[in-house]
Amino acid sequence: MTNPLLSQWDTPFEIAPFNRIEDTDFAPAFKQALAEHNAEIAAIAGNAEAPTFANTIEALEAAGDALHKVLSVFYTVAGADSNPEREKLQRDFSPKLAAHYAAISSNKALFQRVEDLWLRKDELGLSAEQERVLMLTRRGFVRAGAALEGDADTRMAAIKGRLATLGTEFTQNLLADERDWFMEVAEDDLEGLPDFVTGAMRAAGAEKGVDGPIVTTSRSIITPFLQFSPRRNLREKAYKAFVSRGANGGDHDNRDIAAEILKLREERAKLLGYDNFAAYKLETEMAKTPEKVEELLLAVWQPAKARAEEDAKVLETMMHEDGINGDLEAWDWHYYAARRRKAEHDLDEAALKPYLQLDRMIEAAFACANRLFGLEFAPLDVALYHPDCRAWDVTRNGKHIAVFIGDYFARGSKRSGAWCSAMRAQAKFPKEQAPVVINVCNFAKADPALLSYDDARTLFHEFGHALHQMLSDVTYESISGTSVARDFVELPSQLFEHWLEVPEVLEEFATHAETNEPMPKTMLDKVLGAANFDQGFQTVEYVASALVDLEFHKGAAPADPMAMQADVLDRLGMPKQIAMRHATPQFAHVFSGDGYSSGYYSYMWSEVMDADAFEAFEEAGDPFDPEMARALEDNILSTGGSREAEELYTAFRGRMPGVEALLKGRGLAA
């Protein structure tokens, strides 16, 4: 019987036939696809003809199609709907994949063909896009260690394999802690909790087989529990469980894994001739150096810390007025901040949430994409990997542009957080292909599903990434969509968040779940007026994480990462009532792979640009100004990694921005 992962996908838009794929299909498909890719690489490297762009670079672009199909399906379900079998497969695949790609990047014959083309690039008559792909291909080989010889070459391959294994273990340990911990709550302890919170808690209990409400470490449950529960002892217990994920001892503890990862990254960088891993990693980013990153983060840190310390005094006074003596603690902040927000802005999360229905917020994101870029979304009836998923056919002027898949609800089989991925990226070579893009979130499931304002912002954020994939218009997949510098990739996502705050968007789509009435003008004004509420807290928890990440990688690897984390926070004067957004043992951005390692700052680097970019629409006098939308698509959303990020942004805005727009946007400007 033909393995469905390797057969022709005779489905609408060649979407993976999820309903025909079994877990037992993955291992044999992976083995066969890996062998096919090896044969393709061997043929390119051993080609007796002189290197040309077509027989080397384009051949590399076209190779590995079967392997990509297998992996796109596997990693989609492994992240969003895992089970013990898939976790076992992931542990098995990771080192094999690392070894596979290490062998390609260290293939001397292949590298020599690429190097030959690079030295003759001016004679080849390449287009600007082709020259860019050649440069990136060569740079990838060099940075992967293709120029290494002997023991150094062997050691590099071993390091990559070990890092792949450790990254998988880190992720699975964190998922295990998040899946295993929950706190049963008595009916009497539901006092003060809005219906949307208790409903989510009961649904979570049902999923765990518990007859009653529970608190889990899912942000969609624990954050509102910390905001609304007057039971300080329960808030403390839940909060401590949340921040101790990955650091509970036993088989799922990530602290030793983090230490080994940092040590191996340092060794990898030094094998390649860099002083430290941050210098290696940032060389290809917009920031270029650790010093530039630190300069940005510290410029934001001081005003954010000052604001947070002012806020802490206010919240502690509120707590004392409740008759609770002593210091404000981290598990108190959300509770008193929510009460303060209600008092100062007359904004009640429980009253607001019925106006933020998931389905209506999806409609809002689609409507903004339609007004800005002419995209239209029609539901698709196709088999997907989980019943909660839904899909849309994305068109413009009747032409198919993409398939968009949304997987919005939290469940025990899904890793935490929210992300966007492309099962297939846009390309025109070796054949024209439209992207298949997925947004994955972790919202509390209910009927109807209601979002917090932060949830709604997350939905818009991930859809901004999706637009970057869907509107891509380049020739080669390696530079398509979000294949850009890490500190540029968050620009489209964070920029799209601004449209959630456009009054006319909320006026149309923020309608009450029961009455269908639009959000009252008074509430709308309060929502927008409170947009910067608690920015001191939010900025401090983020910047602290980014600075710790940078410190981990800009010098010698620490023997004890937790001690270094404590030292960095102490030197910063971290307010004791605020924790890092991601403490080391749960910092999946940094330790589940290299993606955001020494690069967690990139959200803030991109925010400098997104604040400035939205100002361009404001200066035009219309958040949906067609000329600005066209400029945004032409210079940023459609171009992928076809040019340097700074060049793309300057083409859109005419200049690079300063930090002032960010501080103003967060309400932290002096």
Side-chain angles (χ1 to χ4, degrees), residues 199-420:
M201 290 166 62
R202 293 186 195 282
E207 187 193 5
K208 298 288 187 187
V210 175
D211 183 20
I214 64 171
V215 177
T216 71
T217 55
S218 168
R219 284 187 185 270
S220 64
I221 288 180
I222 198 164
T223 298
F225 181 79
L226 292 172
Q227 285 177 320
F228 294 110
S229 177
R231 300 288 199 268
R232 193 179 190 223
N233 62 321
L234 296 183
R235 295 201 310 267
E236 179 180 1
K237 183 178 179 181
Y239 177 83
K240 287 182 174 178
F242 182 74
V243 298
S244 68
R245 291 168 299 146
N248 289 306
D251 293 340
H252 298 153
D253 198 295
N254 276 333
R255 287 171 288 191
D256 288 345
I257 291 175
E260 187 178 353
I261 287 173
L262 293 172
K263 184 178 179 182
L264 290 172
R265 284 178 180 162
E266 180 191 13
E267 185 181 357
R268 176 181 171 189
K270 289 188 172 178
L271 281 172
L272 294 170
Y274 295 87
D275 290 339
N276 52 63
F277 186 81
Y280 159 75
K281 188 69 184 299
L282 294 172
E283 179 185 50
T284 59
E285 308 297 339
M286 293 181 75
K288 302 301 181 192
T289 68
E291 291 74 24
K292 285 274 187 69
V293 173
E294 194 165 33
E295 181 184 344
L296 167 69
L297 293 173
L298 291 177
V300 178
W301 173 260
Q302 291 303 332
K305 179 189 171 191
R307 176 67 55 80
E309 289 173 337
E310 291 172 10
D311 291 342
K313 292 176 183 176
V314 175
L315 301 184
E316 187 168 86
T317 298
M318 293 173 64
M319 186 180 78
H320 291 167
E321 289 171 352
D322 277 353
I324 301 173
N325 297 321
D327 297 335
L328 183 81
E329 300 289 354
W331 49 88
D332 298 316
W333 191 292
H334 284 90
Y335 180 69
Y336 286 100
R339 282 178 46 181
R340 182 187 180 191
R341 182 184 185 215
K342 184 176 181 180
E344 293 186 0
H345 296 278
D346 193 21
L347 190 59
D348 182 355
E349 184 81 18
L352 171 64
K353 204 157 185 176
Y355 290 98
L356 300 176
Q357 300 176 69
L358 171 61
D359 287 350
R360 294 293 279 153
M361 290 299 101
I362 294 171
E363 288 180 44
F366 288 176
C368 290
N370 176 262
R371 291 185 64 181
L372 289 164
F373 311 114
L375 300 181
E376 297 182 336
F377 299 80
L380 268 178
D381 184 15
V382 291
L384 298 169
Y385 60 86
H386 192 277
D388 286 344
C389 297
R390 51 185 118 167
W392 292 266
D393 174 19
V394 187
T395 60
R396 178 156 61 184
N397 298 324
K399 180 186 176 184
H400 175 67
I401 297 292
V403 170
F404 176 65
I405 299 170
D407 178 4
Y408 295 108
F409 297 127
R411 53 182 174 267
S413 61
K414 183 189 289 187
R415 65 180 170 89
S416 60
W419 63 93
C420 174

Side-chain angles (χ1 to χ4, degrees), residues 488-537:
F488 190 66
V489 76
E490 297 298 337
L491 169 60
S493 55
Q494 294 179 182
L495 175 58
F496 197 68
E497 291 179 37
H498 288 272
W499 274 275
L500 176 62
E501 296 182 354
V502 172
E504 62 192 274
V505 173
L506 288 174
E507 286 168 3
E508 181 175 358
F509 294 99
T511 56
H512 198 279
E514 294 178 5
T515 66
N516 207 36
E517 291 295 314
M519 183 183 289
K521 178 70 165 58
T522 52
M523 181 178 284
L524 176 62
D525 291 343
K526 291 169 188 173
V527 168
L528 299 177
N532 284 322
F533 181 77
D534 216 23
Q535 274 298 329
F537 173 91

